[in-house]
Amino acid sequence: MSESSTGKISNVLIETRVFPPSESFANQAAIGSMEAYQALYDSSIDDTEGFWAQQATEHLHWFTPFHTTLQWNEPFAKWFVGGTTNVSYNCLDTHVLNGRGDRVALYWEGEPGDRRTITYAELHRDVCRFANGLKKLGINKGDRVSIYMPMVPELAVAMLACARVGAIHSVIFGGFSAEAISDRNNDAQARFLITADGGWRRGKALTLKQTADEALAKSPTVEKCIVLNRIGNQPAMQPERDIWWHDLIADVTDDCPAEPMESEDSLFILYTSGSTGKPKGIRHTTAGYNLYVKRTFQWVFDHRDEDIFWCTADCGWITGHSYIVYGPMSAGATQVMYEGAPNAPKEDRFWEIIARYKVSILYTAPTAIRTFIKWGDHHVEKHELSSLRLLGSVGEGINPEAWMWYYEKIGGRRCPIVDTWWQTETGGIMMSPFPGAIACKPGSCTRPLPGIVPRVLNHTGPAGELGDVETNHGGMLCIEKPWPGMLRGIWGDDERYRQQYWATVPHMYLTGDNARFDEDGYYWIMGRIDDVINVSGHRLSTIEVESALVSHPAVAEAAAVGRPDEIKGQAITVFVTLKSHEPTDEMREALKKHIRKEIGALAVPDEVRFTSSLPKTRSGKIMRRLLRDIAAGKEGTGDTSTLEDYTVLVRLRNDDES
Ligand code: PRX
């Protein structure tokens, strides 16, 4: 039987480097050995509901205790039924009431260099005032509020204020167009939009209010628009509809008790791209989500009081929701929040920020890491990065060579790297090293978090039935049990939720990713199921071909896609961004030779195309779907002799891609 008929995916890249935590790191960690991890994990699996019930009792504040831990009516989960709590209370009031109000919540830095330090007591006051402002406008529990803002503290304030009064927020990334905003407003039937006059990005003023106005012309449900004055560009205001943030809170009090919310009341909707192009509103609820992001934050980042945490994501993505706002703030963390681009004014802005605030934990994305590699080590070497003790990665697979660079150049070989695998849908991190316990392997997200049971399935049975794959064989990554942070559905479309996530593999959540596990039980994500390349009946994962290319010293970034081929089924086209080398025919041949050596003849690309940049979604993922069209000759010039640039194409296309 050929591999394609069994559905197996060949595992072609073997990574053998292993990096255990140093003794000093392990000694200070909350979970400091493999035995401790295993004991915690086993207890979470032996009695999953008991485990989460105890976690919820210990780690959340309850106005009313819950009576039932889980009601599972597949595929609809209800966690901590009967209980009432409030996420904003857990993020703010808890700390203020515990005498920790003077702790710094945010060290915020604007792109032009303006800085603010905000304590938990101050954040609590700001959230209460803005929540009172929302009440003045007549907001009700369950109302939807769109938020379209730059990365300023008020973005977190707006989210927490919604949570405080029980409104459901839908944060829309500040780079999206009017069309994308009105689509989201209309799908959620939002009553309010919170925006700003603008924000700063690479030295340019983004005119957010102007874009919001265009969107509002096509958003009939939105009654009021609240506008923060961030850049002072005096946008046009419609007197009946628009109100300045500072006017709204001018005459309100600081007192706004948090509304007791049912555990399963919706906390937010976050839109993510779907295969149909129509954005999907992923719905997360109150108690389960709050518990999951708090505990995963503490476990994965081994968080301690003295840490300065910096997650470089934007709050417009799930990473910003879970690991800037709700997770770290529930844990009372001190964080850095930065408004702008990593190369404003120069390519060393991140390293300057780390040195200034003595950041100890940095959480960023592979796309950023590969960009830093391309910009050159000298930007890094200028700055003192010895405050760092832990590094994290999220959003895409991290190619082993990018992992090594991150480990050596940024972490100085002393910081473990937590490669965190998760999704908008999962709410929080699902697989990652516990940094004090689990040895890292570059490119692997290692092991599941407590309560999470991953399974890798494929058509392995004699008649093609679904079954678990063997060690080191790829297959569809699924999750077996419900977990507190899981999505509760797609806004307004239960059927789409069922079809997309629960119909392919019976009784399991389908992640849409391929993965394999190795002989040590480590998981390796192999890319999206739709991205697999099938060459002569061998199914190859995009990420393995790309990682082999990135291991060539001239290559900064690479994307591999399949294109139709009469003989082989699919042929491989790779799109390559070079560091500073010339895109010559010799280079093309050198890269083919490199792949032959690293993987084998099977994976040698038929076509190598050089590009100055790869098309990416707004959140930084390589858009292989678009590249597949280009490779198949559906778009593009076909002239591959010169350097190509797809950024224009992407600017036209990627509004609805997240
Ligand atoms: O394909 C996986 C990839 O990103 C997808 C989820 O994207 P999104 O919902 O935008 O959430 C991003 C932030 C969590 C996954 O299905 N992905 C995310 N993290 C990793 C990853 N792929 C490999 N390794 C990771 N660590």
Side-chain angles (χ1 to χ4, degrees), residues 208-268:
L208 296 184
K209 172 63 164 60
Q210 212 175 314
T211 311
D213 281 341
E214 263 180 69
L216 290 179
K218 289 184 280 180
S219 309
T221 61
V222 177
E223 299 160 28
K224 292 279 177 201
C225 176
I226 303 161
V227 188
L228 177 78
N229 179 5
R230 159 69 185 128
I231 63 169
N233 71 351
Q234 301 185 327
M237 298 284 279
Q238 280 191 22
E240 295 81 59
R241 189 196 66 192
D242 302 345
I243 177 162
W244 285 106
W245 179 299
H246 52 265
D247 288 339
L248 183 68
I249 59 166
D251 56 355
V252 298
T253 70
D254 295 356
D255 183 34
C256 178
E259 199 64 40
M261 302 299 293
E262 306 271 341
S263 292
E264 283 299 331
D265 280 338
S266 295
L267 176 65
F268 65 84

Side-chain angles (χ1 to χ4, degrees), residues 485-505:
M486 67 189 276
L487 77 164
R488 299 303 196 266
I490 294 175
W491 184 257
D493 202 342
D494 283 352
E495 193 44 38
R496 191 174 175 196
Y497 167 64
R498 193 192 293 276
Q499 281 305 324
Q500 177 129 21
Y501 302 106
W502 297 91
T504 310
V505 179

Side-chain angles (χ1 to χ4, degrees), residues 319 394-397 419-424 513 525 528 621:
T319 308
V394 62
E396 276 186 296
D419 176 356
T420 63
W421 175 83
W422 58 294
Q423 310 176 296
T424 304
D513 284 346
I525 305 297
R528 301 291 298 167
K621 292 191 210 306

Side-chain angles (χ1 to χ4, degrees), residues 530-556:
D530 299 343
D531 287 340
V532 165
I533 307 173
N534 193 327
V535 183
S536 308
H538 296 276
R539 304 202 336 141
L540 297 172
S541 98
T542 49
I543 201 164
E544 293 190 334
V545 179
E546 290 158 8
S547 291
L549 282 162
V550 173
S551 72
H552 188 282
V555 175

